[in-house]
Each structure stands twice: as structure tokens, then as C-alpha cells.
Amino acid sequence: MAVLCSGGDAPGMNAFLRAVVRLGLNRHHRPVYGIRDGYRGLVRAARQVGGDGEALIGLCQDIERQVGNRGLIDAQQCIIQMDHASVSGIMGKGGTILGSARCLEFHKPQVRREVIDLLEKLQIGGLIVCGGDGSLSGARLLAQESNLRIIGVPATIDNDLQFTEMSLGVDTAVHTLVWAVDHFIDTARSHRRVMVLETMGRESGDLARMAALASGAEMVITPESGPMTEPRMRELAQRIEGAMTRGRGHAIVLIAEGVKFEPAQNRNGAYVLRDAFQSYFGREGAPFPDLEVRPSVLGHLQRGGHATPGDCILAARFAEEAWKSLLDPQAKSGITALRYNKVEIVPFGCEDLPERAVHSRAMDTLHDDLANW
Ligand code: F6P
């Protein structure tokens, strides 16, 4: 069995790798091979071997010679036989010890064929792919095009995979955002400012809305609530100004990176919103002409850092279910998912959880009703 992390790193990936390796060795007595740099590592190894028998022997010898940490240290080694020590002390560490990558080449059927051939030659019958949307699409194609047993594991801070209630990394990213808001509030309060903070999340607003609910940020703007237009921005600015008139001194506004503007903008949303707010607050006869707005794009800060206990526990639960499915001769390829708080395997291309959208809307309403306007 082999395991790889793919796409953007997410906190909890290391806890997942640890759990996969330890369950493999301790409970199931199976060797586990770690693939470096996601699909890219597999493609590199497949190219290295090609149709050459000697190169294949060379690769196998390297894997046997450099086991565990020795293999991990050698950046050229793409396939590493994992041992107990190689996953020691990594539980909460952010990132992934195997490395991760976005591999555009993997979209080509011929490239996937090369990888399937390699895995077959190495007698690796199962592959666990830990990653987000694109990575799991690659896993689905591998499952369709081979006899390999493929298990996908959702890991992305975006929480945009609608078949699972939570993906690995979300809980930690929300914690990090709460921490960030706590820091920005200090300046917002001291200077009576409006802070506009842009979160990640691609097309999904889940990360921003969860962070807003958990941090108490005054306002959250998500892609799901539709495009941002001039009148909408004015309305939001009016809302803030109204609250200031009633004695409020500052405001924290979260805007998800996926929010679209009409007319379209080629700048980060936080800056567009800053300009719109600032010109509204500075208009002729405004009650708070000195009110300042400061934008910040929080960026990759949200992907790093120590994984929360919540993510580490989910990682262990996903790993256990992945092994269970891999070893069940009746089971099929699929993805681990948290549904109704239970971890299960769902088929690739499985229906979205309808509750996810309802839940998001309910969170928005709840946040609105909790805000102090
Ligand atoms: O999918 C995770 C994510 O962090 C998104 O929220 C963000 O849009 C993207 O990845 C950034 O990707 P990269 O690290 O390749 O710039």
C-alpha cells in the first residue's frame, strides 16, 4: 500500500500519515510506502524506470537501502518505505513530511498509464490519496483506469468538498483565523478602525463563515451570497457607519477570496472593499470622516501551523476507515467522509450532502443575529 499527499498542504496531513503508517505496521502488519511530492513523485519515479528492467531493480534497491528517515532525507528518493521512526514526533506538525504538489501533467491519460504501470510493477495494490478537489479527481481517474484499490481522503482548508461535513485542515485553519482576528482587533480597537481581512477558500465561503462565527468578526462576505456590487458595498458601509453612530468603535470584516465583484476587479477583494468603504466614510458631510479602513490578505498563514486536536482525531479516524476499506475484498475504491458525524467510505463522484448548503445558510443567519449592529 502506498500513500501520498497532493495539492495544497493542509494541517492534519502529518497526523494522517502517522496514523496510516502506524495502523499498517501495528494493526495490519503491512508495509507502507510513502510517495514524495504527490502525483509528481509518482510520475518522476515512473519516468526513472520507464520500460527498463534494470532501472526498476535499481529503484527497488534504493527503496530497500534507504528506509524511513534515510529515505525521507534524500530529496531524490520518490518512494520511501515508512517505518515507525519516520512518523515519530510529527503528529501536529503543519505541512506534510512527504511533500505535496499540484501536478498538472496528471491530467494526461498517458501519464496516469505510466504511473499505473509502475505501481503494478512494484506490486503496490492500494493507493491512498490525501488532498483536495483536484487531487481526489485524479484519484477517481486512477480508480477507473486500473485495478488498483484507491482511497481518497479529503484534506483542504477550503472545506469545499460537499460530500463530507469536514475536511482535514479546516478546524486548524479556523483556529488560525480566530487567532488572527484576535490580533487585528487590538489595533482596530486602539485606532477605532475597520479592518478588512481576506481569507482563503477558493469558491467556497465556508472557511470565512466558520471563522467569523468563531471569532465574533462583525461582518462576513462569502461567494455564496452573490457578487459584490457598488450598492451592496455602500449598504455594508452604511451598516458599519450606523453601528459607529450608536457607539461602536471598530469593526472586523472577513471577506472570502472567492467573492466576485460586478464590475469584475483584478485586485484582491480586501483592497476593493477598502476603497469602497473609505470613499463612503470620507464623503462630504460624513459623521466619521477620519474613520480609517485597513485591508490585509491573510494568505498562506492560514495553511500552516500546528494541527488542532480536532484535525488530529479526524486524521486518525480517516486512516482507520481507509485501511478497513483497503483490506476488505468486497469493498470498492472510494473516499473517506465525515457524514452525520460518522466516518464512512463514499463512492467517487458521490452525491453532495444536501445539508451542507442548508448548514452554511444557517451559519450565516446565526452570525448575522449574533453581530452587535
Ligand atoms: O486549496 C487551498 C488553497 O489554500 C486555497 O484556499 C487557495 O486559493 C489556494 O490553495 C492557494 O494555492 P497556492 O498555495 O498554490 O497558491
Side-chain angles (χ1 to χ4, degrees):
M1 197 283 288
V3 58
L4 61 81
C5 297
S6 167
D9 59 297
M13 279 182 164
N14 276 331
F16 175 73
L17 291 174
R18 173 184 179 274
V20 164
V21 172
R22 293 275 167 90
L23 285 173
L25 300 179
N26 298 344
R27 188 188 280 184
H28 303 299
H29 313 292
R30 306 275 172 143
V32 180
Y33 296 91
I35 310 291
R36 188 188 298 281
D37 298 344
Y39 295 125
R40 192 184 285 171
L42 276 181
V43 174
R44 225 185 292 142
R47 297 269 157 82
Q48 188 186 329
V49 169
D52 180 351
E54 276 192 23
L56 178 65
I57 295 171
L59 176 68
C60 293
Q61 284 171 343
D62 281 349
I63 296 172
E64 274 171 32
R65 196 165 40 84
Q66 300 208 108
V67 172
N69 282 324
R70 289 185 62 191
L72 284 173
I73 286 165
D74 179 354
Q76 295 307 315
Q77 190 168 331
C78 296
I79 305 180
I80 301 123
Q81 181 167 355
M82 306 296 281
D83 59 10
H84 281 93
S86 62
V87 290
S88 271
I90 66 165
M91 174 72 102
K93 281 203 188 315
T96 153
I97 57 162
L98 283 179
S100 187
R102 302 191 199 279
C103 180
L104 295 179
E105 260 199 297
F106 211 66
H107 289 287
K108 298 183 193 153
Q110 173 54 27
V111 173
R112 293 196 296 276
R113 188 69 252 163
E114 288 171 34
V115 162
I116 293 167
D117 287 348
L118 173 76
L119 292 172
E120 283 171 355
K121 280 181 197 153
L122 292 173
Q123 297 184 341
I124 290 176
L127 177 67
I128 300 183
V129 174
C130 180
D133 204 10
S135 311
L136 298 182
S137 299
R140 174 176 46 81
L141 292 171
L142 278 183
Q144 282 165 3
E145 296 165 3
S146 72
N147 292 322
L148 297 162
R149 181 70 66 80
I150 311 287
I151 303 294
V153 173
T156 166
I157 63 162
D158 302 337
N159 213 30
D160 56 350
L161 300 166
Q162 301 298 314
F163 60 83
T164 179
E165 280 152 21
M166 285 288 268
S167 293
L168 281 182
V170 180
D171 191 54
T172 306
V174 171
H175 268 70
T176 305
L177 282 170
V178 171
W179 168 87
V181 168
D182 268 357
H183 283 63
F184 281 97
I185 273 181
D186 291 341
T187 301
R189 276 208 190 102
S190 309
H191 289 261
R192 295 181 171 275
R193 279 181 184 162
V194 177
M195 297 294 202
V196 180
L197 310 181
E198 184 173 315
T199 70
M200 282 188 162
R202 287 191 195 271
E203 306 301 312
S204 163
D206 246 41
L207 182 59
R209 68 166 57 83
M210 289 166 91
L213 201 49
S215 66
E218 279 72 26
M219 195 174 269
V220 58
I221 305 164
T222 59
E224 292 86 349
S225 55
M228 261 295 150
T229 55
E230 293 284 338
R232 260 194 84 197
M233 288 193 278
R234 208 174 317 118
E235 195 186 301
L236 295 176
Q238 269 166 359
R239 216 167 153 185
I240 294 174
E241 199 179 71
M244 301 275 179
T245 317
R246 290 188 295 276
R248 201 169 168 85
H250 69 276
I252 302 281
V253 179
L254 296 186
I255 177 165
E257 67 176 0
V259 170
K260 300 273 183 295
F261 287 81
E262 265 175 25
Q265 301 283 335
N266 58 7
R267 292 184 301 152
N268 284 83
Y271 292 92
V272 180
L273 209 57
R274 185 267 316 262
D275 288 352
F277 282 2
Q278 199 69 83
S279 83
Y280 182 81
F281 298 140
R283 75 194 182 283
E284 189 75 35
F288 306 103
D290 296 331
L291 181 56
E292 289 178 308
V293 187
R294 291 282 196 272
S296 290
V297 177
L298 300 177
H300 291 83
L301 170 92
Q302 298 157 86
R303 281 223 312 249
H306 206 91
T308 57
D311 269 328
C312 294
I313 291 167
L314 187 60
R317 293 175 73 195
F318 278 165
E320 182 174 51
E321 197 60 31
W323 266 115
K324 212 162 102 191
S325 175
L326 275 173
L327 296 177
D328 176 356
Q330 309 304 323
K332 292 199 169 68
S333 293
I335 317 180
T336 61
L338 185 71
R339 290 163 83 93
Y340 309 106
N341 212 19
K342 247 186 91 213
V343 171
E344 54 190 80
I345 298 278
V346 297
F348 280 107
C350 148
E351 301 282 303
D352 293 347
L353 270 172
E355 291 80 0
R356 279 290 310 266
V358 176
H359 189 58
S360 298
R361 279 197 299 277
M363 258 200 278
D364 286 346
T365 311
L366 182 57
H367 173 266
D368 251 19
D369 292 346
L370 291 175
N372 176 17
W373 292 116

